[in-house]
Amino acid sequence: MKELDLEDSVDTLGRWMAHRIAELMEQAEQAPTEAEREAAKRECTDIIIRLWEHMALIRAI
């Protein structure tokens, strides 16, 4: 959160996305199969890109 300046933010969506990314990173690390690991990594990558887009829109306002 600190790296994204979301610690004290009211950006609920941004905060949720950051938490989801952390969950997916943990899932990828603990996944029992390569397929599950890769699925978590793909979803994590997708949400990271969407978070960057979201942050760019918020900062442009």
Side-chain angles (χ1 to χ4, degrees):
M1 293 288 195
K2 186 175 185 178
E3 295 86 2
L4 299 171
D5 292 327
L6 291 174
E7 277 187 324
D8 298 320
S9 174
V10 294
D11 179 5
T12 304
L13 179 58
R15 292 174 63 90
W16 179 87
M17 293 172 90
H19 282 286
R20 182 64 180 144
I21 290 166
E23 289 174 350
L24 289 166
M25 291 172 69
E26 187 173 326
Q27 283 180 16
E29 290 174 359
Q30 298 178 0
T33 68
E34 184 65 25
E36 290 172 309
R37 215 174 357 265
E38 289 304 314
K41 287 179 182 180
R42 277 192 303 276
E43 186 177 351
C44 187
T45 300
D46 180 56
I47 294 177
I48 288 169
I49 292 168
R50 292 164 78 189
L51 177 59
W52 287 344
E53 291 170 346
H54 171 75
M55 297 297 288
L57 286 173
I58 294 295
R59 291 184 176 142
I61 294 176

